[in-house]
Structures are given as structure tokens and as C-alpha cells.
mmCIF file of all heavy atoms in Angstrom:
data_model
loop_
_atom_site.group_PDB
_atom_site.id
_atom_site.type_symbol
_atom_site.label_atom_id
_atom_site.label_comp_id
_atom_site.label_asym_id
_atom_site.label_seq_id
_atom_site.Cartn_x
_atom_site.Cartn_y
_atom_site.Cartn_z
ATOM 1 N N ASP E 23 -22.532 4.197 17.408
ATOM 2 C CA ASP E 23 -23.587 5.109 17.413
ATOM 3 C C ASP E 23 -23.299 6.376 16.680
ATOM 4 O O ASP E 23 -24.164 7.238 16.492
ATOM 5 C CB ASP E 23 -24.067 5.376 18.883
ATOM 6 C CG ASP E 23 -22.934 5.965 19.684
ATOM 7 O OD1 ASP E 23 -21.822 5.996 19.284
ATOM 8 O OD2 ASP E 23 -23.251 6.432 20.825
ATOM 9 N N LYS E 24 -22.059 6.627 16.318
ATOM 10 C CA LYS E 24 -21.752 7.765 15.465
ATOM 11 C C LYS E 24 -20.879 7.384 14.284
ATOM 12 O O LYS E 24 -20.108 6.379 14.396
ATOM 13 C CB LYS E 24 -20.779 8.763 16.332
ATOM 14 C CG LYS E 24 -21.573 9.362 17.549
ATOM 15 C CD LYS E 24 -20.763 10.515 18.161
ATOM 16 C CE LYS E 24 -19.617 9.780 18.923
ATOM 17 N NZ LYS E 24 -18.828 10.678 19.818
ATOM 18 N N GLY E 25 -21.047 8.060 13.219
ATOM 19 C CA GLY E 25 -20.169 7.775 12.010
ATOM 20 C C GLY E 25 -20.684 6.537 11.250
ATOM 21 O O GLY E 25 -19.992 6.080 10.350
ATOM 22 N N ILE E 26 -21.815 6.010 11.519
ATOM 23 C CA ILE E 26 -22.302 4.830 10.797
ATOM 24 C C ILE E 26 -22.388 5.041 9.321
ATOM 25 O O ILE E 26 -22.236 4.129 8.545
ATOM 26 C CB ILE E 26 -23.762 4.401 11.409
ATOM 27 C CG1 ILE E 26 -23.486 3.983 12.909
ATOM 28 C CG2 ILE E 26 -24.230 3.242 10.669
ATOM 29 C CD1 ILE E 26 -24.770 3.916 13.650
ATOM 30 N N ALA E 27 -22.700 6.305 8.894
ATOM 31 C CA ALA E 27 -22.799 6.493 7.405
ATOM 32 C C ALA E 27 -21.469 6.236 6.683
ATOM 33 O O ALA E 27 -21.476 6.002 5.600
ATOM 34 C CB ALA E 27 -23.263 7.966 7.177
ATOM 35 N N ASN E 28 -20.345 6.219 7.449
ATOM 36 C CA ASN E 28 -18.993 5.929 6.791
ATOM 37 C C ASN E 28 -18.555 4.521 7.074
ATOM 38 O O ASN E 28 -17.546 4.104 6.509
ATOM 39 C CB ASN E 28 -18.008 6.982 7.400
ATOM 40 C CG ASN E 28 -18.261 8.346 6.897
ATOM 41 O OD1 ASN E 28 -18.859 8.631 5.875
ATOM 42 N ND2 ASN E 28 -17.949 9.344 7.806
ATOM 43 N N PHE E 29 -19.352 3.743 7.754
ATOM 44 C CA PHE E 29 -18.923 2.458 8.158
ATOM 45 C C PHE E 29 -18.534 1.583 7.001
ATOM 46 O O PHE E 29 -17.519 0.899 6.973
ATOM 47 C CB PHE E 29 -19.962 1.702 9.010
ATOM 48 C CG PHE E 29 -19.537 0.324 9.503
ATOM 49 C CD1 PHE E 29 -18.875 0.305 10.753
ATOM 50 C CD2 PHE E 29 -19.810 -0.769 8.746
ATOM 51 C CE1 PHE E 29 -18.435 -0.956 11.167
ATOM 52 C CE2 PHE E 29 -19.354 -2.037 9.199
ATOM 53 C CZ PHE E 29 -18.647 -2.147 10.395
ATOM 54 N N HIS E 30 -19.295 1.506 5.945
ATOM 55 C CA HIS E 30 -19.030 0.674 4.764
ATOM 56 C C HIS E 30 -17.803 1.126 4.024
ATOM 57 O O HIS E 30 -17.099 0.178 3.538
ATOM 58 C CB HIS E 30 -20.256 0.553 3.909
ATOM 59 C CG HIS E 30 -20.795 1.878 3.417
ATOM 60 N ND1 HIS E 30 -21.125 2.999 4.262
ATOM 61 C CD2 HIS E 30 -21.119 2.295 2.094
ATOM 62 C CE1 HIS E 30 -21.531 3.999 3.526
ATOM 63 N NE2 HIS E 30 -21.662 3.548 2.234
ATOM 64 N N MET E 31 -17.521 2.415 4.022
ATOM 65 C CA MET E 31 -16.267 2.802 3.404
ATOM 66 C C MET E 31 -15.041 2.329 4.137
ATOM 67 O O MET E 31 -14.147 1.784 3.623
ATOM 68 C CB MET E 31 -16.225 4.380 3.262
ATOM 69 C CG MET E 31 -17.238 4.885 2.345
ATOM 70 S SD MET E 31 -17.089 6.649 1.927
ATOM 71 C CE MET E 31 -17.022 7.350 3.603
ATOM 72 N N VAL E 32 -15.128 2.484 5.455
ATOM 73 C CA VAL E 32 -14.011 2.047 6.307
ATOM 74 C C VAL E 32 -13.844 0.513 6.179
ATOM 75 O O VAL E 32 -12.697 0.083 6.021
ATOM 76 C CB VAL E 32 -14.287 2.442 7.842
ATOM 77 C CG1 VAL E 32 -13.174 1.937 8.729
ATOM 78 C CG2 VAL E 32 -14.342 4.000 8.001
ATOM 79 N N PHE E 33 -14.888 -0.134 6.185
ATOM 80 C CA PHE E 33 -14.806 -1.676 6.075
ATOM 81 C C PHE E 33 -14.205 -2.037 4.850
ATOM 82 O O PHE E 33 -13.397 -2.905 4.752
ATOM 83 C CB PHE E 33 -16.233 -2.198 6.209
ATOM 84 C CG PHE E 33 -16.382 -3.706 6.109
ATOM 85 C CD1 PHE E 33 -16.071 -4.460 7.208
ATOM 86 C CD2 PHE E 33 -16.512 -4.400 4.929
ATOM 87 C CE1 PHE E 33 -16.015 -5.891 7.121
ATOM 88 C CE2 PHE E 33 -16.366 -5.740 4.800
ATOM 89 C CZ PHE E 33 -16.258 -6.429 5.928
ATOM 90 N N LEU E 34 -14.717 -1.476 3.716
ATOM 91 C CA LEU E 34 -14.143 -1.906 2.425
ATOM 92 C C LEU E 34 -12.713 -1.512 2.280
ATOM 93 O O LEU E 34 -11.942 -2.310 1.654
ATOM 94 C CB LEU E 34 -15.012 -1.234 1.252
ATOM 95 C CG LEU E 34 -16.377 -1.675 1.074
ATOM 96 C CD1 LEU E 34 -17.155 -0.839 0.076
ATOM 97 C CD2 LEU E 34 -16.483 -3.140 0.667
ATOM 98 N N LEU E 35 -12.323 -0.413 2.698
ATOM 99 C CA LEU E 35 -10.895 -0.032 2.672
ATOM 100 C C LEU E 35 -10.008 -1.014 3.647
ATOM 101 O O LEU E 35 -8.905 -1.370 3.217
ATOM 102 C CB LEU E 35 -10.687 1.467 3.151
ATOM 103 C CG LEU E 35 -11.271 2.472 2.159
ATOM 104 C CD1 LEU E 35 -11.181 3.830 2.751
ATOM 105 C CD2 LEU E 35 -10.469 2.483 0.833
ATOM 106 N N GLY E 36 -10.509 -1.333 4.701
ATOM 107 C CA GLY E 36 -9.817 -2.218 5.603
ATOM 108 C C GLY E 36 -9.728 -3.655 4.977
ATOM 109 O O GLY E 36 -8.658 -4.333 5.250
ATOM 110 N N LEU E 37 -10.817 -3.988 4.198
ATOM 111 C CA LEU E 37 -10.795 -5.324 3.675
ATOM 112 C C LEU E 37 -9.631 -5.475 2.636
ATOM 113 O O LEU E 37 -9.221 -6.568 2.485
ATOM 114 C CB LEU E 37 -12.158 -5.624 3.025
ATOM 115 C CG LEU E 37 -12.409 -6.985 2.522
ATOM 116 C CD1 LEU E 37 -12.231 -8.088 3.523
ATOM 117 C CD2 LEU E 37 -13.799 -7.084 1.849
ATOM 118 N N LEU E 38 -9.365 -4.325 2.073
ATOM 119 C CA LEU E 38 -8.195 -4.351 0.934
ATOM 120 C C LEU E 38 -6.968 -4.970 1.530
ATOM 121 O O LEU E 38 -6.234 -5.677 0.797
ATOM 122 C CB LEU E 38 -8.005 -2.882 0.536
ATOM 123 C CG LEU E 38 -9.119 -2.281 -0.344
ATOM 124 C CD1 LEU E 38 -8.802 -0.810 -0.623
ATOM 125 C CD2 LEU E 38 -9.384 -3.070 -1.583
ATOM 126 N N HIS E 39 -6.675 -4.703 2.762
ATOM 127 C CA HIS E 39 -5.390 -5.284 3.394
ATOM 128 C C HIS E 39 -5.508 -6.765 3.354
ATOM 129 O O HIS E 39 -4.513 -7.471 3.030
ATOM 130 C CB HIS E 39 -5.219 -4.885 4.939
ATOM 131 C CG HIS E 39 -4.824 -3.493 5.085
ATOM 132 N ND1 HIS E 39 -3.540 -3.086 4.909
ATOM 133 C CD2 HIS E 39 -5.522 -2.376 5.549
ATOM 134 C CE1 HIS E 39 -3.480 -1.834 5.145
ATOM 135 N NE2 HIS E 39 -4.624 -1.382 5.618
ATOM 136 N N HIS E 40 -6.640 -7.385 3.729
ATOM 137 C CA HIS E 40 -6.784 -8.831 3.813
ATOM 138 C C HIS E 40 -6.813 -9.504 2.448
ATOM 139 O O HIS E 40 -6.610 -10.639 2.370
ATOM 140 C CB HIS E 40 -8.058 -9.111 4.648
ATOM 141 C CG HIS E 40 -7.923 -8.546 6.072
ATOM 142 N ND1 HIS E 40 -7.116 -9.209 7.051
ATOM 143 C CD2 HIS E 40 -8.434 -7.378 6.553
ATOM 144 C CE1 HIS E 40 -7.198 -8.507 8.094
ATOM 145 N NE2 HIS E 40 -7.918 -7.429 7.912
ATOM 146 N N LEU E 41 -7.221 -8.771 1.471
ATOM 147 C CA LEU E 41 -7.281 -9.243 0.109
ATOM 148 C C LEU E 41 -5.917 -9.106 -0.600
ATOM 149 O O LEU E 41 -5.792 -9.611 -1.786
ATOM 150 C CB LEU E 41 -8.372 -8.589 -0.752
ATOM 151 C CG LEU E 41 -9.796 -8.763 -0.206
ATOM 152 C CD1 LEU E 41 -10.790 -7.976 -0.962
ATOM 153 C CD2 LEU E 41 -10.140 -10.198 -0.154
ATOM 154 N N GLY E 42 -5.076 -8.389 0.022
ATOM 155 C CA GLY E 42 -3.623 -8.245 -0.562
ATOM 156 C C GLY E 42 -3.552 -7.165 -1.698
ATOM 157 O O GLY E 42 -2.695 -7.242 -2.566
ATOM 158 N N ILE E 43 -4.572 -6.291 -1.744
ATOM 159 C CA ILE E 43 -4.602 -5.217 -2.803
ATOM 160 C C ILE E 43 -4.741 -3.823 -2.162
ATOM 161 O O ILE E 43 -5.205 -2.923 -2.828
ATOM 162 C CB ILE E 43 -5.779 -5.465 -3.810
ATOM 163 C CG1 ILE E 43 -7.146 -5.503 -3.058
ATOM 164 C CG2 ILE E 43 -5.589 -6.807 -4.529
ATOM 165 C CD1 ILE E 43 -8.344 -5.568 -3.978
ATOM 166 N N PHE E 44 -4.214 -3.588 -0.977
ATOM 167 C CA PHE E 44 -4.257 -2.263 -0.469
ATOM 168 C C PHE E 44 -3.306 -1.339 -1.195
ATOM 169 O O PHE E 44 -2.238 -1.706 -1.624
ATOM 170 C CB PHE E 44 -3.850 -2.277 1.034
ATOM 171 C CG PHE E 44 -4.053 -1.020 1.805
ATOM 172 C CD1 PHE E 44 -5.341 -0.755 2.304
ATOM 173 C CD2 PHE E 44 -3.128 -0.095 2.025
ATOM 174 C CE1 PHE E 44 -5.638 0.392 2.969
ATOM 175 C CE2 PHE E 44 -3.351 1.058 2.734
ATOM 176 C CZ PHE E 44 -4.643 1.333 3.127
ATOM 177 N N PRO E 45 -3.732 -0.125 -1.447
ATOM 178 C CA PRO E 45 -2.968 0.867 -2.243
ATOM 179 C C PRO E 45 -1.581 1.033 -1.646
ATOM 180 O O PRO E 45 -1.339 1.046 -0.453
ATOM 181 C CB PRO E 45 -3.787 2.114 -2.296
ATOM 182 C CG PRO E 45 -5.162 1.651 -2.005
ATOM 183 C CD PRO E 45 -4.968 0.447 -1.129
ATOM 184 N N ASN E 46 -0.573 1.353 -2.512
ATOM 185 C CA ASN E 46 0.718 1.608 -2.126
ATOM 186 C C ASN E 46 0.862 3.070 -1.613
ATOM 187 O O ASN E 46 0.691 4.024 -2.356
ATOM 188 C CB ASN E 46 1.720 1.441 -3.377
ATOM 189 C CG ASN E 46 3.074 1.818 -3.093
ATOM 190 O OD1 ASN E 46 3.520 2.008 -1.924
ATOM 191 N ND2 ASN E 46 3.954 1.799 -4.092
ATOM 192 N N MET E 47 1.021 3.225 -0.309
ATOM 193 C CA MET E 47 1.128 4.558 0.241
ATOM 194 C C MET E 47 2.507 5.070 0.276
ATOM 195 O O MET E 47 2.731 6.277 0.453
ATOM 196 C CB MET E 47 0.656 4.477 1.762
ATOM 197 C CG MET E 47 -0.800 4.167 1.956
ATOM 198 S SD MET E 47 -1.855 5.504 1.252
ATOM 199 C CE MET E 47 -1.428 6.882 2.315
ATOM 200 N N GLU E 48 3.487 4.283 -0.071
ATOM 201 C CA GLU E 48 4.910 4.763 -0.127
ATOM 202 C C GLU E 48 5.154 5.787 -1.190
ATOM 203 O O GLU E 48 6.083 6.590 -1.054
ATOM 204 C CB GLU E 48 5.907 3.567 -0.159
ATOM 205 C CG GLU E 48 5.819 2.772 1.054
ATOM 206 C CD GLU E 48 6.752 1.494 0.856
ATOM 207 O OE1 GLU E 48 7.589 1.437 -0.135
ATOM 208 O OE2 GLU E 48 6.590 0.496 1.656
ATOM 209 N N SER E 49 4.398 5.664 -2.281
ATOM 210 C CA SER E 49 4.669 6.559 -3.432
ATOM 211 C C SER E 49 3.771 7.808 -3.330
ATOM 212 O O SER E 49 3.940 8.644 -4.293
ATOM 213 C CB SER E 49 4.303 5.771 -4.724
ATOM 214 O OG SER E 49 2.987 5.515 -4.851
ATOM 215 N N HIS E 50 3.046 8.010 -2.311
ATOM 216 C CA HIS E 50 2.226 9.187 -2.200
ATOM 217 C C HIS E 50 3.048 10.490 -2.052
ATOM 218 O O HIS E 50 3.994 10.575 -1.220
ATOM 219 C CB HIS E 50 1.274 9.081 -1.027
ATOM 220 C CG HIS E 50 0.474 10.373 -0.774
ATOM 221 N ND1 HIS E 50 -0.447 10.814 -1.529
ATOM 222 C CD2 HIS E 50 0.686 11.305 0.251
ATOM 223 C CE1 HIS E 50 -0.940 11.977 -1.073
ATOM 224 N NE2 HIS E 50 -0.231 12.301 -0.014
ATOM 225 N N ARG E 51 2.584 11.566 -2.710
ATOM 226 C CA ARG E 51 3.202 12.813 -2.711
ATOM 227 C C ARG E 51 2.115 13.780 -2.705
ATOM 228 O O ARG E 51 1.045 13.562 -3.337
ATOM 229 C CB ARG E 51 4.214 13.141 -3.775
ATOM 230 C CG ARG E 51 5.305 12.152 -3.960
ATOM 231 C CD ARG E 51 6.432 12.343 -2.867
ATOM 232 N NE ARG E 51 7.484 11.510 -2.951
ATOM 233 C CZ ARG E 51 7.551 10.216 -2.441
ATOM 234 N NH1 ARG E 51 6.655 9.826 -1.717
ATOM 235 N NH2 ARG E 51 8.669 9.517 -2.646
ATOM 236 N N VAL E 52 2.286 14.955 -2.125
ATOM 237 C CA VAL E 52 1.236 16.000 -2.064
ATOM 238 C C VAL E 52 0.919 16.359 -3.497
ATOM 239 O O VAL E 52 1.751 16.506 -4.349
ATOM 240 C CB VAL E 52 1.741 17.220 -1.260
ATOM 241 C CG1 VAL E 52 0.680 18.308 -1.398
ATOM 242 C CG2 VAL E 52 2.019 16.842 0.124
ATOM 243 N N GLY E 53 -0.340 16.321 -3.838
ATOM 244 C CA GLY E 53 -0.814 16.791 -5.134
ATOM 245 C C GLY E 53 -1.008 15.589 -6.090
ATOM 246 O O GLY E 53 -1.554 15.719 -7.174
ATOM 247 N N TYR E 54 -0.583 14.295 -5.713
ATOM 248 C CA TYR E 54 -0.805 13.140 -6.444
ATOM 249 C C TYR E 54 -2.336 12.837 -6.565
ATOM 250 O O TYR E 54 -3.010 13.111 -5.530
ATOM 251 C CB TYR E 54 -0.081 11.955 -5.825
ATOM 252 C CG TYR E 54 1.332 11.853 -6.380
ATOM 253 C CD1 TYR E 54 2.131 12.874 -6.805
ATOM 254 C CD2 TYR E 54 2.052 10.595 -6.264
ATOM 255 C CE1 TYR E 54 3.414 12.787 -7.107
ATOM 256 C CE2 TYR E 54 3.377 10.492 -6.655
ATOM 257 C CZ TYR E 54 4.111 11.593 -7.049
ATOM 258 O OH TYR E 54 5.288 11.454 -7.467
ATOM 259 N N TYR E 55 -2.747 12.249 -7.590
ATOM 260 C CA TYR E 55 -4.091 11.751 -7.657
ATOM 261 C C TYR E 55 -4.077 10.319 -7.444
ATOM 262 O O TYR E 55 -3.108 9.612 -7.337
ATOM 263 C CB TYR E 55 -4.614 12.132 -9.068
ATOM 264 C CG TYR E 55 -3.796 11.541 -10.202
ATOM 265 C CD1 TYR E 55 -4.218 10.261 -10.750
ATOM 266 C CD2 TYR E 55 -2.697 12.099 -10.665
ATOM 267 C CE1 TYR E 55 -3.459 9.670 -11.679
ATOM 268 C CE2 TYR E 55 -1.894 11.416 -11.700
ATOM 269 C CZ TYR E 55 -2.318 10.262 -12.203
ATOM 270 O OH TYR E 55 -1.599 9.579 -13.183
ATOM 271 N N PHE E 56 -5.348 9.727 -7.438
ATOM 272 C CA PHE E 56 -5.515 8.274 -7.217
ATOM 273 C C PHE E 56 -5.353 7.585 -8.537
ATOM 274 O O PHE E 56 -6.123 7.617 -9.450
ATOM 275 C CB PHE E 56 -6.933 8.056 -6.636
ATOM 276 C CG PHE E 56 -7.283 6.571 -6.411
ATOM 277 C CD1 PHE E 56 -6.216 5.620 -6.057
ATOM 278 C CD2 PHE E 56 -8.487 6.232 -6.412
ATOM 279 C CE1 PHE E 56 -6.603 4.412 -5.887
ATOM 280 C CE2 PHE E 56 -8.874 4.796 -6.241
ATOM 281 C CZ PHE E 56 -7.926 3.971 -5.842
ATOM 282 N N ASP E 57 -4.270 6.837 -8.689
ATOM 283 C CA ASP E 57 -3.999 5.949 -9.843
ATOM 284 C C ASP E 57 -4.526 4.593 -9.553
ATOM 285 O O ASP E 57 -4.030 3.815 -8.777
ATOM 286 C CB ASP E 57 -2.476 5.858 -10.056
ATOM 287 C CG ASP E 57 -2.106 4.901 -11.234
ATOM 288 O OD1 ASP E 57 -2.998 4.261 -11.723
ATOM 289 O OD2 ASP E 57 -0.985 4.946 -11.584
ATOM 290 N N MET E 58 -5.781 4.250 -10.098
ATOM 291 C CA MET E 58 -6.543 3.149 -9.754
ATOM 292 C C MET E 58 -5.762 1.765 -9.990
ATOM 293 O O MET E 58 -5.746 0.919 -9.256
ATOM 294 C CB MET E 58 -7.885 3.063 -10.428
ATOM 295 C CG MET E 58 -8.790 4.183 -10.050
ATOM 296 S SD MET E 58 -9.648 3.852 -8.578
ATOM 297 C CE MET E 58 -11.007 2.890 -9.260
ATOM 298 N N LEU E 59 -5.154 1.808 -11.099
ATOM 299 C CA LEU E 59 -4.500 0.558 -11.577
ATOM 300 C C LEU E 59 -3.211 0.253 -10.730
ATOM 301 O O LEU E 59 -3.079 -0.963 -10.323
ATOM 302 C CB LEU E 59 -4.077 0.666 -13.084
ATOM 303 C CG LEU E 59 -3.645 -0.622 -13.723
ATOM 304 C CD1 LEU E 59 -4.633 -1.727 -13.551
ATOM 305 C CD2 LEU E 59 -3.323 -0.409 -15.206
ATOM 306 N N ASN E 60 -2.480 1.285 -10.415
ATOM 307 C CA ASN E 60 -1.257 1.027 -9.727
ATOM 308 C C ASN E 60 -1.389 1.233 -8.194
ATOM 309 O O ASN E 60 -0.432 0.977 -7.454
ATOM 310 C CB ASN E 60 -0.113 1.906 -10.260
ATOM 311 C CG ASN E 60 0.270 1.568 -11.636
ATOM 312 O OD1 ASN E 60 0.343 0.414 -11.986
ATOM 313 N ND2 ASN E 60 0.346 2.520 -12.486
ATOM 314 N N GLY E 61 -2.523 1.687 -7.770
ATOM 315 C CA GLY E 61 -2.718 1.734 -6.290
ATOM 316 C C GLY E 61 -2.166 2.995 -5.668
ATOM 317 O O GLY E 61 -1.963 2.976 -4.491
ATOM 318 N N ALA E 62 -1.784 4.033 -6.354
ATOM 319 C CA ALA E 62 -1.368 5.239 -5.718
ATOM 320 C C ALA E 62 -2.571 5.980 -5.319
ATOM 321 O O ALA E 62 -3.403 6.247 -6.094
ATOM 322 C CB ALA E 62 -0.559 6.109 -6.669
ATOM 323 N N PHE E 63 -2.783 6.263 -3.989
ATOM 324 C CA PHE E 63 -4.054 6.597 -3.540
ATOM 325 C C PHE E 63 -4.052 7.974 -2.856
ATOM 326 O O PHE E 63 -3.049 8.437 -2.305
ATOM 327 C CB PHE E 63 -4.505 5.603 -2.447
ATOM 328 C CG PHE E 63 -5.980 5.362 -2.375
ATOM 329 C CD1 PHE E 63 -6.576 4.280 -2.826
ATOM 330 C CD2 PHE E 63 -6.752 6.276 -1.656
ATOM 331 C CE1 PHE E 63 -7.924 4.157 -2.723
ATOM 332 C CE2 PHE E 63 -8.004 6.156 -1.510
ATOM 333 C CZ PHE E 63 -8.686 5.095 -1.997
ATOM 334 N N PHE E 64 -5.203 8.597 -2.851
ATOM 335 C CA PHE E 64 -5.451 9.788 -2.058
ATOM 336 C C PHE E 64 -5.382 9.459 -0.545
ATOM 337 O O PHE E 64 -6.226 8.791 -0.043
ATOM 338 C CB PHE E 64 -6.930 10.192 -2.488
ATOM 339 C CG PHE E 64 -7.376 11.497 -1.808
ATOM 340 C CD1 PHE E 64 -6.545 12.538 -1.553
ATOM 341 C CD2 PHE E 64 -8.686 11.596 -1.222
ATOM 342 C CE1 PHE E 64 -6.981 13.618 -0.942
ATOM 343 C CE2 PHE E 64 -9.129 12.634 -0.669
ATOM 344 C CZ PHE E 64 -8.268 13.684 -0.481
ATOM 345 N N SER E 65 -4.366 10.093 0.053
ATOM 346 C CA SER E 65 -4.008 9.657 1.406
ATOM 347 C C SER E 65 -4.990 10.095 2.520
ATOM 348 O O SER E 65 -5.146 9.376 3.487
ATOM 349 C CB SER E 65 -2.646 10.222 1.795
ATOM 350 O OG SER E 65 -2.673 11.660 1.872
ATOM 351 N N ARG E 66 -5.794 11.180 2.285
ATOM 352 C CA ARG E 66 -6.759 11.612 3.337
ATOM 353 C C ARG E 66 -7.788 10.520 3.529
ATOM 354 O O ARG E 66 -8.110 10.216 4.681
ATOM 355 C CB ARG E 66 -7.359 12.855 2.874
ATOM 356 C CG ARG E 66 -8.495 13.373 3.940
ATOM 357 C CD ARG E 66 -9.003 14.706 3.506
ATOM 358 N NE ARG E 66 -10.123 15.018 4.406
ATOM 359 C CZ ARG E 66 -11.450 14.917 4.192
ATOM 360 N NH1 ARG E 66 -11.854 14.496 3.026
ATOM 361 N NH2 ARG E 66 -12.289 15.186 5.048
ATOM 362 N N LEU E 67 -8.249 9.920 2.443
ATOM 363 C CA LEU E 67 -9.314 8.903 2.647
ATOM 364 C C LEU E 67 -8.756 7.626 3.293
ATOM 365 O O LEU E 67 -9.481 7.056 4.100
ATOM 366 C CB LEU E 67 -9.801 8.448 1.204
ATOM 367 C CG LEU E 67 -10.945 7.509 1.173
ATOM 368 C CD1 LEU E 67 -12.148 8.053 1.986
ATOM 369 C CD2 LEU E 67 -11.303 7.206 -0.199
ATOM 370 N N LEU E 68 -7.532 7.240 3.132
ATOM 371 C CA LEU E 68 -6.942 6.189 3.707
ATOM 372 C C LEU E 68 -6.725 6.364 5.250
ATOM 373 O O LEU E 68 -6.299 5.346 5.964
ATOM 374 C CB LEU E 68 -5.710 5.696 3.066
ATOM 375 C CG LEU E 68 -6.021 5.099 1.653
ATOM 376 C CD1 LEU E 68 -4.678 4.690 1.020
ATOM 377 C CD2 LEU E 68 -6.967 3.933 1.737
ATOM 378 N N ARG E 69 -6.829 7.534 5.737
ATOM 379 C CA ARG E 69 -6.598 7.674 7.147
ATOM 380 C C ARG E 69 -7.971 7.533 7.985
ATOM 381 O O ARG E 69 -7.940 7.511 9.185
ATOM 382 C CB ARG E 69 -6.170 9.238 7.463
ATOM 383 C CG ARG E 69 -4.779 9.468 6.996
ATOM 384 C CD ARG E 69 -4.243 10.766 7.450
ATOM 385 N NE ARG E 69 -3.425 11.300 6.397
ATOM 386 C CZ ARG E 69 -3.494 12.554 5.888
ATOM 387 N NH1 ARG E 69 -4.295 13.397 6.435
ATOM 388 N NH2 ARG E 69 -2.782 12.866 4.909
#
């Protein structure tokens, strides 16, 4: 009943795990940007 507007984003990000293409969070450092090809991701969104 709350946060429904974000449901599809959460779902799509969670689905990445099951597809084997979830971004690499180990390489994240403050100030890094989202490298689409290599999966270095903006960490706030993945929380």
C-alpha cells in the first residue's frame, strides 16, 4: 500500500540476481559512477 511507484524498479533490480547479471558491488568506491558494461553501480539505488 506504500511505495508502489518504486515497485517495478525494485523488481527489475532483484531480477538481475536471478539472471546472473547483478552489478559488482565489491568494486564500489565513493564517487564512482555507474559503468553499465562492467556493472560497477551506484550503490544508493541498489539498497
Side-chain angles (χ1 to χ4, degrees):
D23 58 351
K24 294 187 291 186
I26 295 169
N28 294 329
F29 183 88
H30 55 311
M31 292 188 309
V32 175
F33 180 87
L34 291 174
L35 291 170
L37 185 60
L38 293 173
H39 284 289
H40 300 281
L41 300 175
I43 58 173
F44 193 78
N46 178 7
M47 291 297 294
E48 293 175 15
S49 64
H50 171 72
R51 301 288 182 269
V52 175
Y54 274 23
Y55 60 93
F56 179 31
D57 178 350
M58 296 279 275
L59 190 56
N60 296 313
F63 208 104
F64 177 44
S65 64
R66 179 177 174 258
L67 184 59
L68 289 181
R69 288 190 220 133

